[in-house]
Amino acid sequence: MVLLIDAPRAESVELMGDATQWTVTQMTRNKHGKWRAELKLAPGMHRVTVRADGGRWIAPPGLPMSNDDYGSPVGMIVVKGKQ
């Protein structure tokens, strides 16, 4: 799965979530100002959060929202298939 974040003015965008074992991962900027991360996700529900320029962690826009184990907002990605 490819996750794109529209943040053309950002100097850096980071991602963390289930797919990264909650390790901060740097996203890469494409030529159109969108930030990209390729995630290998098994079928099921996955939580993800992003931040720009070291700011606060937010749920990626456009994804359904939930909370992590500490009450912070995360985006939910559903991958269909056998679990």
Side-chain angles (χ1 to χ4, degrees), residues 3-82:
L3 180 65
L4 292 173
I5 302 295
D6 188 23
R9 293 187 182 114
E11 294 295 320
S12 70
V13 176
E14 297 168 311
L15 155 82
M16 93 176 147
D18 296 322
T20 67
Q21 288 74 46
W22 295 97
T23 300
V24 176
T25 303
Q26 183 66 42
M27 298 180 76
T28 57
R29 180 188 291 204
N30 70 19
K31 62 183 176 184
H32 304 292
K34 293 188 188 278
W35 294 83
R36 182 182 193 277
E38 192 167 329
L39 305 172
K40 294 184 183 201
L41 301 175
M45 264 314 204
H46 301 276
R47 299 173 294 174
V48 66
T49 185
V50 296
R51 71 177 173 185
D53 298 331
R56 66 183 179 89
W57 291 99
I58 62 167
L63 291 179
M65 282 184 49
S66 185
N67 291 318
D68 66 13
D69 296 341
Y70 304 100
S72 298
V74 293
M76 300 301 295
I77 298 172
V78 178
V79 178
K80 295 185 179 185
K82 293 183 180 180

